Amino acid sequence: MKGFGEQSKSRDKKFQNSSSTISSKELLNKALKCHSKGNTKEAKTYYEIYLKSGFLDPRVFCNLAVILKNLGNSKEAFNILNKGIDYYPKYAELYCNLGNLKRELGELEEAELLTRKAIEIKPNYFDAHTNLGAILQDLGRLNDAKSSTLRAIQIKGNITTAHLNLGSILDDQGCIEEAEESTRRAIELDPELEIGFINLIEILKNQCKHQEAISLCIEAIEKFPDNQFFYQSTAKLIKYINLSEYKLNDIEQLLEILLDRIDLDHQDLFSVVSKILENYRKSYSFNPLNRIIDEPFFAFFSNHPIIIKSLSKLIFSSLYWESFLTQVRREICLEVASNHHLKKDINKDFINYLAQQCFYNEYIYKVLDSEKESLISILNRCKGEKFNEIDISILSSYYPIHKFIDSVSDLCNYNSLNNSFNQLLLTQYHEPLDEIRIGKSLKVFGSIKDETSLNVKDQYEEYPYPRWIYTEFKRAAKSSFTKVINHEIRPNKILSKPIQKESSVLIAGCGTGQQVVNAQRYKNAKITAIDLSSSSLAYAQRKITQLGIKNVRFIHMDILDLPKLNQKFDVIESSGVIHHMHNPSDGLKALSSALKGNGFIKLGLYSQIARDRLGDEAKIMSENIDEEDDRLVEIRQQIIAKNNSNSSRLFRINDFYTRSMFRDLCLHVKEHRFTIIQLRDFLDESHLRFLGFLLPQSIKSDYLLSYPDDPYQLDLDNWNEFELNNPSTFLAMYQFWASRM
């Protein structure tokens, strides 16, 4: 909203009977001076006194409205601008500001009319042309939006806003190279343009220019160290980094920065951590007769800060490093059991972090009989004498502390001088204890009676899924749900809706809460999260409490009971859920019953073609697999031993490397799969309209090359053909948005 400080022809207009002890000019100058210095509170006071004194000036109406809008008082700002227009019906800035306010409220048609009125009054009004371009872009009229923005550039060619907006419009049109050029021009005009860096990174990602994008992210982190977007984008892009283009020390420093953050998914970092480890490993020679823990490489490995941090922040999702860590754990276990102590040159912190890694992967590593015997010896030693920390660290590398703590006196309230050991106690004892307490206090709605629902519930009570450590969490940069959806379904687009004071969001089948945290990207959202598993919900509640999230209520219930909840939602997310129900159609029917008439639903369903690519390994069904037996680990080891083309695809999936995720991936008690044709019929039955898949831009670009006559990428017959030709497209499920017809 503009208008600040501009001269006006009718500046000292005043009611006839008003009186004041201060002149209008003096009062106005005080207000403008305060406003220019950023003292908006005092400026607001002076503007209000000015108007209450009977003085009139269109700039005061504009500037006061700006302050009120920024304070969140849009209604008052709206009234002030309308009042200004009553007095100054030919003052273009008032119409432009009111149009901008209407746009922010999602009232786009009125915003367009008001902005065009401003241009009618003042044909060369740069701000009005720029704003009109943005409004038309929101309305999906991209050609008109481009024309308006180019007109603004004709009027003032060196203003960053117009070039930035033009880049965004061109990006929406699919003219990505031109979009990049316009956005770079904006940054050239203002090298500190934060939003310019954000937009350019997204544009580069959409062109698969990953190396340029990661370089720009690193530059942006130095320029804007407080903006979480650049750290989160770096984490997602770092797998593409060309190690040869950077000093290894610089990459490691960057990794340390990312590993220290709690607002991103550290699993994204593993590929580059693995590359660095592989480079180091190649520089060492190994004696096959030696134990790994006697090798020089292990001394390096167990003391390197990146490795130490990674063990406690992400899963080492690689068969090679799994085998390496399994052998290291075994050798240390046997060493401690036989010698009652650890080799002097082994870092004690490393043992604690290895125990964290094993806890996070839920003890998926293979255990030999020799280890089992050693563990019995170590545990008996802890029972019979005052325990030592190394013994506890070794034991907790094989099963969580809360499982054996009753056998070890004084461990419950123990406080170590070693921070990594205290963290081990927190993670493996205190936090699981908190989850038990939370589980007892969860809100319960209805009762779970469906046989399949009960079986699925049992699985997730035993194996809460997914057991995440950290995930992407947007604290500040939140967007309306229409903007979020448009970003995910592009090149398709839905029209912006009037902004609500509060949007209702349902996460149906929320599991351990990762989706709940990701849903913090929605602006003004009130979230309801439901799940069959109280263990999963307790984990979720603990995690969001740690993150300080307060806009969520958890309910322990079955999706089938949603109609009885008697609540409608603006947005529903249910990813990877209803394909585990007895009848997915009943699940979708229940979800649809809770969706507002103008609401949107995001679904995730297994692809028949993609799952077939995983072969028989992903079709194994097993009953009565329990955390206390070794059957699950044995089945997984059998898959590893096969090492054929199908199983090798499984090895590239992160879910293969933790117990609960492997169970969900390969051994689920119930699973339905769909083709795209079945998906289309499935949506038609529920009167839902397909809005677009969530896929990497590279895949969407390939689709567009194959089907240029489907620019919005909505033809499911085309997508069916595309998947048949590219069977790995939906390996991570069909994920898509839909709305009511």
Side-chain angles (χ1 to χ4, degrees):
M1 294 174 74
K2 301 283 186 174
F4 176 73
E6 297 176 3
Q7 293 296 314
S8 107
K9 296 178 182 178
S10 48
R11 195 170 77 187
D12 292 320
K13 197 171 186 179
K14 183 187 177 197
F15 288 165
Q16 283 186 331
N17 296 326
S18 298
S19 61
S20 177
T21 58
I22 185 171
S23 71
S24 64
K25 185 175 182 180
E26 187 178 0
L27 192 58
L28 182 58
N29 286 340
K30 282 180 179 289
L32 294 175
K33 187 176 180 180
C34 289
H35 204 163
S36 66
K37 291 183 177 181
N39 188 352
T40 54
K41 184 178 180 181
E42 201 167 335
K44 176 176 177 288
T45 300
Y46 281 125
Y47 287 139
E48 288 172 340
I49 293 172
Y50 186 92
L51 294 176
K52 286 178 182 177
S53 298
F55 301 124
L56 295 175
D57 187 298
R59 290 172 298 171
V60 173
F61 290 104
C62 284
N63 294 352
L64 180 56
V66 169
I67 293 172
L68 290 168
K69 189 267 294 183
N70 290 338
L71 289 172
N73 298 328
S74 296
K75 187 175 181 180
E76 289 183 52
F78 177 81
N79 291 336
I80 285 290
L81 289 169
N82 273 319
K83 188 174 181 181
I85 288 172
D86 288 342
Y87 289 116
Y88 300 99
K90 296 296 183 182
Y91 195 73
E93 285 79 358
L94 287 164
Y95 291 97
C96 186
N97 284 8
L98 187 56
N100 197 31
L101 182 60
K102 287 284 189 181
R103 180 199 171 207
E104 292 187 14
L105 293 172
E107 299 172 17
L108 298 178
E109 288 79 7
E110 291 183 58
E112 179 186 357
L113 292 174
L114 287 161
T115 309
R116 289 194 184 279
K117 179 66 176 178
I119 293 170
E120 180 186 321
I121 295 169
K122 192 176 178 179
N124 290 328
Y125 187 7
F126 170 83
D127 289 337
H129 284 284
T130 302
N131 289 356
L132 181 59
I135 293 163
L136 293 169
Q137 182 184 9
D138 289 345
L139 286 166
R141 290 155 54 188
L142 298 179
N143 289 332
D144 292 341
K146 179 180 176 181
S147 297
S148 293
T149 308
L150 286 172
R151 176 69 184 117
I153 291 172
Q154 284 181 339
I155 297 167
K156 290 183 181 179
N158 61 346
I159 304 297
T160 59
T161 308
H163 291 282
L164 186 71
N165 288 4
L166 180 59
S168 177
I169 293 164
L170 290 166
D171 188 28
D172 280 357
Q173 287 184 314
C175 305
I176 305 181
E177 291 181 3
E178 294 175 59
E180 179 184 343
E181 182 181 348
S182 292
T183 309
R184 287 191 184 278
R185 174 60 178 153
I187 294 173
E188 181 184 313
L189 290 167
D190 182 2
E192 303 302 315
L193 186 64
E194 199 165 351
I195 185 63
F197 278 83
I198 291 172
N199 288 4
L200 183 55
I201 287 166
E202 291 293 337
I203 289 168
L204 291 170
K205 283 164 58 180
N206 289 340
Q207 296 180 82
C208 299
K209 294 182 177 180
H210 299 124
Q211 297 296 333
E212 289 183 57
I214 188 68
S215 297
L216 195 63
C217 282
I218 293 170
E219 179 186 347
I221 285 173
E222 294 179 359
K223 278 179 173 286
F224 315 108
D226 296 328
N227 191 320
Q228 68 173 178
F229 171 85
F230 300 116
Y231 297 96
Q232 292 172 344
S233 295
T234 301
K236 288 184 177 300
L237 287 164
I238 202 167
K239 63 185 174 184
Y240 299 109
I241 199 166
N242 187 342
L243 296 182
S244 64
E245 293 185 4
Y246 296 89
K247 293 179 181 178
L248 186 57
N249 186 55
D250 291 341
I251 296 175
E252 290 183 355
Q253 286 181 4
L254 178 62
L255 279 172
E256 283 205 70
I257 290 170
L258 297 174
L259 285 165
D260 283 339
R261 296 187 69 88
I262 64 169
D263 58 356
L264 51 83
D265 188 345
H266 297 112
Q267 196 60 41
D268 292 329
L269 309 179
F270 178 69
S271 60
V272 71
V273 170
S274 182
K275 288 176 187 176
I276 291 172
L277 279 175
E278 184 61 21
N279 281 349
Y280 280 126
R281 187 182 68 84
K282 288 177 180 177
S283 66
Y284 285 85
S285 59
F286 290 81
N287 184 340
L289 300 178
N290 285 349
R291 297 182 304 175
I292 290 178
I293 62 174
D294 295 325
E295 291 284 352
F297 176 70
F298 176 72
F300 163 81
F301 182 92
S302 59
N303 286 280
H304 195 288
I306 294 295
I307 297 167
I308 293 292
K309 287 186 178 182
S310 296
L311 284 169
S312 65
K313 297 289 182 72
L314 55 87
I315 303 299
F316 276 53
S317 51
S318 148
L319 286 186
Y320 176 84
W321 293 112
E322 175 178 325
S323 175
F324 180 87
L325 291 171
T326 300
Q327 184 64 25
V328 165
R329 181 181 70 166
R330 181 177 302 130
E331 292 176 2
I332 293 174
C333 176
L334 299 179
E335 169 89 9
V336 171
S338 61
N339 297 329
H340 290 232
H341 62 79
L342 193 64
K343 283 180 61 182
K344 289 182 179 179
D345 57 348
I346 294 183
N347 179 4
K348 291 182 181 179
D349 284 335
F350 170 77
I351 312 299
N352 293 328
Y353 289 117
L354 175 60
Q356 294 286 56
Q357 176 73 191
C358 295
F359 176 78
Y360 288 133
N361 69 39
E362 299 155 306
Y363 306 98
I364 197 74
Y365 296 165
K366 184 178 180 180
V367 182
L368 300 182
D369 289 341
S370 59
E371 292 169 272
K372 294 176 183 178
E373 292 170 6
S374 294
L375 291 169
I376 292 170
S377 173
I378 294 171
L379 184 57
N380 287 336
R381 192 162 68 214
C382 290
K383 292 177 182 178
E385 58 186 60
K386 183 175 175 62
F387 69 85
N388 69 67
E389 292 182 5
I390 293 299
D391 285 346
I392 300 300
S393 299
I394 296 300
L395 290 171
S396 62
S397 299
Y398 288 86
Y399 27 78
I401 291 173
H402 69 86
K403 294 281 185 172
F404 64 82
I405 196 165
D406 290 341
S407 301
V408 184
S409 61
D410 301 327
L411 189 54
C412 295
N413 300 313
Y414 182 74
N415 188 32
S416 174
L417 296 175
N418 184 310
N419 288 333
S420 66
F421 189 83
N422 286 332
Q423 186 61 42
L424 194 61
L425 284 172
L426 175 67
T427 305
Q428 295 199 16
Y429 173 61
H430 295 292
E431 289 181 346
L433 205 63
D434 285 343
E435 290 169 27
I436 292 171
R437 295 192 193 101
I438 292 168
K440 293 176 180 177
S441 63
L442 288 169
K443 180 178 179 180
V444 179
F445 182 85
S447 59
I448 301 168
K449 298 176 181 178
D450 179 80
E451 183 179 355
T452 300
S453 294
L454 288 169
N455 290 335
V456 172
K457 174 185 180 298
D458 288 344
Q459 174 177 326
Y460 289 125
E461 295 292 6
E462 196 70 36
Y463 299 94
Y465 173 87
R467 193 175 283 277
W468 54 283
I469 308 170
Y470 294 99
T471 193
E472 188 171 297
F473 173 31
K474 296 193 181 300
R475 294 183 181 276
K478 298 175 185 283
S479 304
S480 67
F481 64 79
T482 53
K483 188 172 182 180
V484 169
I485 294 170
N486 281 335
H487 179 73
E488 295 184 348
I489 65 173
R490 58 178 296 161
N492 192 25
K493 191 168 190 174
I494 57 174
L495 292 182
S496 295
K497 295 184 177 293
I499 292 176
Q500 301 165 268
K501 190 172 183 180
E502 189 174 80
S503 298
S504 55
V505 177
L506 171 68
I507 311 294
C510 68
T512 52
Q514 196 169 26
Q515 282 180 270
V516 175
V517 178
N518 293 337
Q520 295 305 305
R521 67 194 189 281
Y522 295 122
K523 191 175 183 179
N524 302 325
K526 186 175 181 181
I527 299 171
T528 299
I530 67 172
D531 201 86
L532 289 168
S533 163
S534 61
S535 296
S536 298
L537 289 171
Y539 189 98
Q541 180 66 73
R542 178 179 64 77
K543 294 293 277 187
I544 71 154
T545 300
Q546 284 180 348
L547 292 169
I549 297 172
K550 298 179 179 178
N551 64 335
V552 182
R553 64 166 179 162
F554 289 102
I555 306 177
H556 185 206
M557 65 177 290
D558 193 339
I559 284 175
L560 294 172
D561 283 334
L562 270 174
K564 301 174 188 175
L565 193 61
N566 197 28
Q567 184 177 352
K568 303 285 186 180
F569 297 89
D570 296 297
V571 172
I572 295 177
E573 291 191 17
S574 188
S575 185
V577 179
I578 60 176
H579 57 213
H580 292 312
M581 301 180 74
H582 174 68
N583 187 342
S585 293
D586 290 342
L588 186 55
K589 183 178 178 182
L591 291 170
S592 298
S593 74
L595 186 66
K596 287 184 179 178
N598 60 350
F600 300 91
I601 184 168
K602 180 181 181 181
L603 295 170
L605 300 169
Y606 279 145
S607 157
Q608 178 71 56
I609 292 172
R611 295 289 282 175
D612 284 347
R613 292 276 288 172
L614 298 178
D616 292 338
E617 286 77 10
K619 297 177 182 177
I620 299 169
M621 301 301 289
S622 178
E623 296 179 358
N624 302 318
I625 293 180
D626 147 332
E627 191 175 345
E628 299 304 326
D629 67 29
D630 295 327
R631 180 66 181 140
L632 184 146
V633 175
E634 287 174 7
I635 291 172
R636 184 173 175 275
Q637 288 298 319
Q638 290 168 12
I639 294 173
I640 292 172
K642 282 185 179 180
N643 196 23
N644 58 30
S645 59
N646 287 327
S647 59
S648 65
R649 293 189 185 98
L650 278 174
F651 303 158
R652 294 194 290 269
I653 300 173
N654 284 331
D655 284 13
F656 188 75
Y657 295 91
T658 76
R659 191 180 287 248
S660 63
M661 292 181 180
F662 174 71
R663 175 73 196 265
D664 190 85
L665 178 68
C666 294
L667 301 162
H668 205 286
V669 297
K670 189 68 177 179
E671 176 180 309
H672 294 273
R673 302 169 184 187
F674 295 81
T675 64
I676 290 182
I677 299 303
Q678 290 171 329
L679 174 63
R680 181 190 61 197
D681 296 340
F682 189 53
L683 293 176
D684 286 344
E685 287 172 13
S686 296
H687 307 289
L688 292 172
R689 179 173 65 252
F690 174 74
L691 297 177
F693 286 117
L694 284 72
L695 285 168
Q697 184 58 42
S698 57
I699 293 177
K700 291 188 175 185
S701 297
D702 289 344
Y703 175 90
L704 190 59
L705 288 174
S706 300
Y707 306 99
D709 293 334
D710 183 21
Y712 297 109
Q713 305 192 1
L714 296 175
D715 190 321
L716 289 174
D717 287 326
N718 287 348
W719 274 112
N720 183 62
E721 186 177 89
F722 184 86
E723 186 184 18
L724 289 170
N725 294 327
N726 303 273
S728 294
T729 301
F730 297 100
L731 200 58
M733 293 191 295
Y734 299 124
Q735 293 198 73
F736 57 93
W737 282 97
S739 65
R740 290 196 184 280
M741 289 182 176

